Amino acid sequence: LVARRLPSRNRFYADLSQCLFDFVIQLLPTQEEMQVKEDVRKLLERLIRTIEPDSRLLSFGSTANGFSLRNSDMDLCCLIDSDERLSATDLVIMLGDLLERETKFHVKPLPHARIPIVKLTLDPSPGLPQGIACDIGFENRLALENTRLLMCYAMIDPTRVRTMVLFLKVWSKRRKINSPYKGTLSSYGYVLLVIYFLVHVKNPPVLPNLQQMPPLRPITKEDTHVAGYNTWFFDDVELLRTRWHSENNESVAELLIDFFRYYARDFSYNTGVASIRAGLLKKLTKGWQNDLSAGRYHDSRERNRLCIEDPFELDFNVGRCVTKDGLYTIRGEFMRASRILANRPERAVIALADLCA
Ligand code: ATP
Ligand code: MG
């Protein structure tokens, strides 16, 4: 009879935490995959330099922020260190032609998109069973900075932060709520929700607020502003690790359960804006109300259902793609996850399988 009793609460948390680590570890990219991607980056950089000699091609997004899963796509950004450069539109057209001629990639240039990019895919091969998908954009310096910010957050508490983020990325993909084009939220949006939760909701916090820490030296506007936005944050993680210790000792499992409960029940979707820079803000003060039907945008009612402030581009709602139905589905998924975990099933591994089923 004793053996059949439900494991105690702490036992369940320990089991579930272990299962979460084991689960995400097997989904990390292999060394080989990372090497292939780095080789691809170098090859593309070499080719781009035949058009723009002073250019650099840098990784951003998951390949560069520590939240990469196996077979995730590559986000690349081309920076041109010269004053006389081609427009992004012209570059996309020229680069598209060049890559079409010189490489085995399938090339799709989108020169007239809001952000002009070249989309590339490589067919699967024995060494690369899933192929490669890659987007090349231009001069997207803010994306490089927000990638660096997320990477610093990941490094402060790698075990808890990376495990939570990686699990939520897999979960949101498997539950089909990770498609901005279909009205749900991007991976970037989910990462911001996790960081917001760990900085501003948990008490004591699991992470410090890197954008509000006192700088070590006086800073000037010139070295903090990128594209007109203040991108300063405390980025000396090594120093931070010696100076800052979280008083929060909850396990990954407890944090995850609380995360689901918070976004299922407590976050004020109707009036609130999640800001990792400033905590909970009001839609009203940001001018992001839902009911601006007579406003500038025809679809403004859809635009601000779920409000997540970009860490640097403060006038940009990262959740703007989330529609009414999308938010309903996402919240439904948070509730479902919360319910599955609240039942504390006898075996944590079954709970995880259930969650992602
Ligand atoms: P995945 O592994 O699912 O591709 P990812 O970590 O690469 O996840 P994405 O959502 O693909 O995340 O975003 C990649 C990068 O693009 C982000 O780090 C961010 O710099 C930028 N980005 C993506 N979506 C937005 C957005 N809505 N607003 C601003 N920047 C964004
Ligand atoms: Mg990506």
Side-chain angles (χ1 to χ4, degrees), residues 25-90:
I25 278 187
Q26 38 136 9
L27 298 169
L28 295 179
T30 58
Q31 207 60 42
E32 189 190 359
E33 178 181 334
M34 292 196 291
Q35 189 58 52
V36 171
K37 286 184 168 165
E38 177 54 17
D39 292 346
V40 166
R41 188 198 62 76
K42 283 196 194 127
L43 167 81
L44 293 171
E45 186 175 63
R46 199 160 47 73
L47 290 169
I48 291 180
R49 283 183 176 164
T50 64
I51 304 176
E52 274 286 6
D54 295 323
S55 58
R56 290 175 286 155
L57 194 61
L58 305 175
S59 277
F60 68 100
S62 60
T63 17
N65 65 19
F67 300 131
S68 175
L69 295 165
R70 208 163 278 193
N71 309 316
S72 59
D73 57 2
M74 289 175 78
D75 301 297
L76 296 174
C77 167
C78 177
L79 294 185
I80 300 156
D81 304 310
S82 99
D83 294 335
E84 283 174 33
R85 60 178 110 110
L86 295 162
S87 71
T89 301
D90 290 342

Side-chain angles (χ1 to χ4, degrees), residues 57-180:
L57 194 61
L58 305 175
S59 277
F60 68 100
S62 60
T63 17
N65 65 19
F67 300 131
S68 175
L69 295 165
R70 208 163 278 193
N71 309 316
S72 59
D73 57 2
M74 289 175 78
D75 301 297
L76 296 174
C77 167
C78 177
L79 294 185
I80 300 156
D81 304 310
S82 99
D83 294 335
E84 283 174 33
R85 60 178 110 110
L86 295 162
S87 71
T89 301
D90 290 342
L91 262 169
V92 164
I93 295 170
M94 288 176 72
L95 184 61
D97 288 347
L98 178 75
L99 297 176
E100 191 96 61
R101 280 198 314 271
E102 302 282 332
T103 68
K104 287 191 203 149
F105 285 102
H106 301 285
V107 184
K108 187 174 173 195
L110 300 174
H112 304 295
R114 188 175 65 90
I115 301 173
I117 56 170
V118 182
K119 282 180 130 4
L120 302 175
T121 50
L122 200 59
D123 287 334
S125 60
L128 262 177
Q130 307 287 326
I132 286 190
C134 167
D135 290 349
I136 306 178
F138 297 86
E139 290 298 322
N140 194 356
R141 292 177 195 254
L142 283 168
L144 294 170
E145 289 304 310
N146 68 40
T147 295
R148 217 163 57 79
L149 177 69
L150 300 189
M151 187 191 69
C152 285
Y153 274 120
M155 282 162 62
I156 296 172
D157 190 336
T159 315
R160 292 191 289 180
V161 178
R162 285 185 73 210
T163 308
M164 274 185 87
V165 166
L166 291 170
F167 178 76
L168 284 162
K169 275 174 72 167
V170 181
W171 169 81
S172 62
K173 285 174 205 254
R174 296 231 181 128
R175 299 302 301 170
K176 303 200 167 45
I177 49 169
N178 183 309
S179 314

Side-chain angles (χ1 to χ4, degrees), residues 201-333:
V201 179
K202 285 316 299 185
N203 188 11
V206 173
L207 292 172
N209 185 339
L210 294 180
Q211 291 175 276
Q212 305 288 355
M213 299 189 66
L216 293 172
R217 305 170 273 289
I219 42 176
T220 62
K221 201 169 173 194
E222 285 74 53
D223 40 61
T224 57
H225 279 61
V226 170
Y229 294 98
N230 181 0
T231 59
W232 185 85
F233 63 94
F234 193 99
D235 61 356
D236 192 337
V237 178
E238 282 313 310
L239 186 72
L240 199 69
R241 284 211 267 215
T242 62
R243 284 204 191 164
W244 194 87
H245 291 284
S246 173
E247 315 249 297
N248 186 313
N249 296 317
E250 285 171 69
S251 63
V252 176
E254 286 171 278
L255 293 172
L256 186 71
I257 292 171
D258 213 20
F259 173 92
F260 283 133
R261 188 172 37 216
Y262 176 75
Y263 286 108
R265 244 186 20 195
D266 302 327
F267 180 71
S268 41
Y269 290 93
N270 285 334
T271 57
V273 177
S275 161
I276 66 170
R277 170 193 64 98
L280 182 65
L281 301 176
K282 291 248 175 285
K283 286 186 186 178
L284 198 65
T285 35
K286 294 209 57 106
W288 285 359
Q289 302 91 312
N290 285 334
D291 56 354
L292 284 174
S293 37
R296 272 181 299 152
Y297 308 107
H298 298 304
D299 58 346
S300 60
R301 264 185 298 170
E302 283 299 276
R303 209 172 273 277
N304 295 320
R305 288 276 163 187
L306 172 59
C307 290
I308 306 169
E309 184 191 64
D310 186 81
F312 304 130
E313 226 176 317
L314 304 186
D315 44 8
F316 185 74
N317 175 12
V318 175
R320 72 214 283 265
C321 297
V322 178
T323 58
K324 182 173 182 234
D325 287 352
L327 182 58
Y328 184 81
T329 313
I330 292 171
R331 277 188 83 173
E333 286 297 333

